[in-house]
Amino acid sequence: MPITPLMPVYPRCGVRPVRGEGSYLIGENGERYLDFASGIAVNCLGHGHPKLTKAIADQAATLMHVSNLYGSPQGEKLAQRIVDNSFADTVFFTNSGTEAVECAIKAARRYHYVNGNPQRHTLITFGNAFHGRTMGAISATNQAKMRDGFEPLLPGFAYAPFNDLDAALALIDDNTAGFLVETIQGEGGISVGSDAFITGLRKACDEHGLLLVLDEVQCGYGRTGKMWAYEHYGITPDIMSVAKGIGGGFPLGACLATEEAAKGMVIGTHGSTYGGNPLAMAAGDAVLDVITEPGFLDHVTAMGDRLRAALEQMIPNHDHLFDHVRGKGLMMGIKLKTDSRAFVAHCRDNHALLTVAAGDNVVRVLPPLVIDESHIAEFIEKLSEAARAFEPAIAA
């Protein structure tokens, strides 16, 4: 028998949380961790936010689940609010980000199918992308660590280097449906799409009749200081997948689309047993209440600026370890000159500081969006202590 009955697909560490309080996680033996990982950008309101927990409790006592064969006043309400705060005309609710990506892929292919161009089924995607773990999502990335052993993968994807507009444009042919791209890559290393890259993809879609499909599962929902990361570029997508922060910790995702891009998604083309259930909608409604409060996104921007400034001031003190800071808002990355996973483990195990490793030897810094300056000061103090203690390991 295995040590645990859980399938061993995660390298689980010794942190075993049983409670959360705001920006902190508490372990089963009372250990207290500063949580600047937020469940990988999920717990946008921190842990135990009173508005979110009350909304979930009240709805759980009222109605948790009904079939999507019935009308959904809860789903209609939240979908309308998301439409009112985005580019979209229509929303399909899912339980996760990868399901939202699957819906986006299907919508893009179906769009060209109903337009009489079924051959236009290929989505151009990008190096180091992470779109989830389903067969469609791993087929949309060129990362071997997610693909090995799962072949044959789904056809219909082509791959270009991220932020290389010329390479992406060179892949367009008669079979191209559009581009699927993270506005800011998360797992890939907090790589921010350049202005020329993102606006260039939009321009190419307009010129060639293609669809721009954004994956903002990690970078959307206020994480960058704007409601959506695409707002930094002055463009809008045709289809977009979102999740993580949308439920504040409750399993929820969504595929957003314009009416035109979603024209092929008619009765019988897609579905989800649990998607849009009343309990999830209550959680999503509560999160949106908080994020759309006047001044909330300004606070995220201010805290992001303060965090970046503090990191940039600290980095020269440990320039053998840290290289530079990247990201937007409270989606920050610290590029290391050594193995980021080892440093993340060191921070966690020795300094009660939770961050997340990413590609390109980057440490992801993804705190709750409700942090204040005291949390940033504590984070910098712990990070500095961790860097000093990590120095002997570097020298060795």
Side-chain angles (χ1 to χ4, degrees):
M1 286 287 291
I3 296 174
T4 168
L6 295 174
M7 190 175 288
V9 296
Y10 283 102
R12 296 180 185 272
C13 64
V15 178
R16 297 170 63 85
V18 294
R19 194 170 80 255
E21 296 175 357
S23 296
Y24 299 89
L25 282 176
I26 296 91
E28 59 186 350
N29 296 314
E31 313 93 330
R32 191 175 181 88
Y33 301 89
L34 179 62
D35 185 7
F36 267 46
S38 301
I40 314 185
V42 169
N43 302 105
C44 62
L45 304 184
H47 304 283
H49 191 281
K51 187 175 186 66
L52 177 58
T53 55
K54 184 178 188 304
I56 292 172
D58 289 349
Q59 188 61 50
T62 305
L63 181 66
M64 285 197 290
H65 173 80
V66 293
S67 169
N68 281 313
L69 295 173
Y70 307 124
S72 176
Q74 304 91 351
E76 290 166 7
K77 176 187 176 186
L78 181 57
Q80 186 61 58
R81 295 186 68 193
I82 292 173
V83 164
D84 291 343
N85 286 279
S86 73
F87 74 96
D89 301 310
T90 187
V91 179
F92 179 85
F93 288 113
T94 67
N95 309 293
S96 65
T98 193
E99 291 172 79
V101 169
E102 290 286 332
C103 182
I105 293 170
K106 290 179 69 174
R109 289 185 173 182
R110 184 78 182 179
Y111 169 79
H112 292 291
Y113 175 84
V114 299
N115 278 347
N117 299 301
Q119 79 282 359
R120 301 182 75 169
H121 55 70
T122 297
L123 285 168
I124 297 169
T125 64
F126 296 90
N128 293 321
F130 181 83
H131 297 295
R133 297 281 189 172
T134 56
M135 289 301 294
I138 65 172
S139 300
T141 181
N142 67 349
Q143 292 200 62
K145 67 181 182 180
M146 281 177 280
R147 297 160 57 108
D148 288 353
F150 298 111
E151 296 87 353
L153 300 175
L154 301 183
F157 298 95
Y159 315 98
F162 186 71
N163 266 336
D164 189 333
L165 180 61
D166 289 341
L169 299 183
L171 291 175
I172 296 174
D173 60 24
D174 291 341
N175 297 323
T176 303
F179 301 100
L180 169 59
V181 59
E182 295 159 279
T183 321
I184 302 174
Q185 289 189 334
E187 196 273 347
I190 311 296
S191 298
V192 180
S194 69
D195 288 348
F197 178 64
I198 298 298
T199 59
L201 294 180
R202 175 70 272 174
K203 182 172 183 286
C205 287
D206 294 338
E207 291 175 350
H208 296 278
L210 309 178
L211 296 177
L212 179 60
V213 184
L214 294 184
D215 180 341
E216 294 210 359
V217 167
Q218 188 166 149
C219 64
Y221 245 77
R223 176 57 54 183
T224 67
K226 293 186 180 293
M227 187 67 193
W228 313 108
Y230 69 74
E231 295 179 72
H232 292 283
Y233 301 89
I235 59 99
T236 57
D238 300 294
I239 302 171
M240 185 168 74
S241 54
V242 302
K244 292 192 180 287
I246 189 176
F250 194 92
L252 178 59
C255 178
L256 284 56
T258 65
E259 182 179 13
E260 174 66 14
K263 67 195 294 185
M265 302 302 282
V266 297
I267 291 173
T269 57
H270 199 50
S272 171
T273 296
Y274 297 107
N277 68 76
L279 191 54
M281 298 299 92
D285 219 28
V287 169
L288 199 54
D289 281 346
V290 177
I291 287 183
T292 56
E293 287 176 357
F296 184 91
L297 294 177
D298 291 337
H299 171 80
V300 174
T301 298
M303 291 302 97
D305 291 344
R306 177 72 185 88
L307 177 59
R308 179 185 286 273
L311 286 170
E312 290 179 342
Q313 184 177 8
M314 182 203 71
I315 279 177
N317 298 328
H318 311 281
D319 60 1
H320 67 291
L321 176 61
F322 301 129
D323 188 276
H324 66 271
V325 181
R326 56 176 73 162
K328 288 183 182 291
L330 290 176
M331 186 177 183
M332 303 297 293
I334 309 170
K335 167 70 173 173
L336 266 61
K337 298 177 180 178
T338 185
D339 180 16
S340 64
R341 296 187 183 279
F343 184 68
V344 164
H346 169 74
C347 292
R348 179 192 69 220
D349 297 339
N350 299 290
H351 300 275
L353 176 61
L354 303 181
T355 55
V356 190
D360 196 28
N361 282 326
V362 166
V363 174
R364 273 181 282 182
V365 182
L366 303 165
L369 303 184
V370 294
I371 59 167
D372 59 34
E373 292 205 12
S374 70
H375 299 114
I376 293 175
E378 182 180 356
F379 171 75
I380 294 297
E381 181 180 358
K382 286 181 176 291
L383 190 68
S384 296
E385 291 174 354
R388 285 193 296 271
F390 198 66
E391 287 178 3
I394 297 296

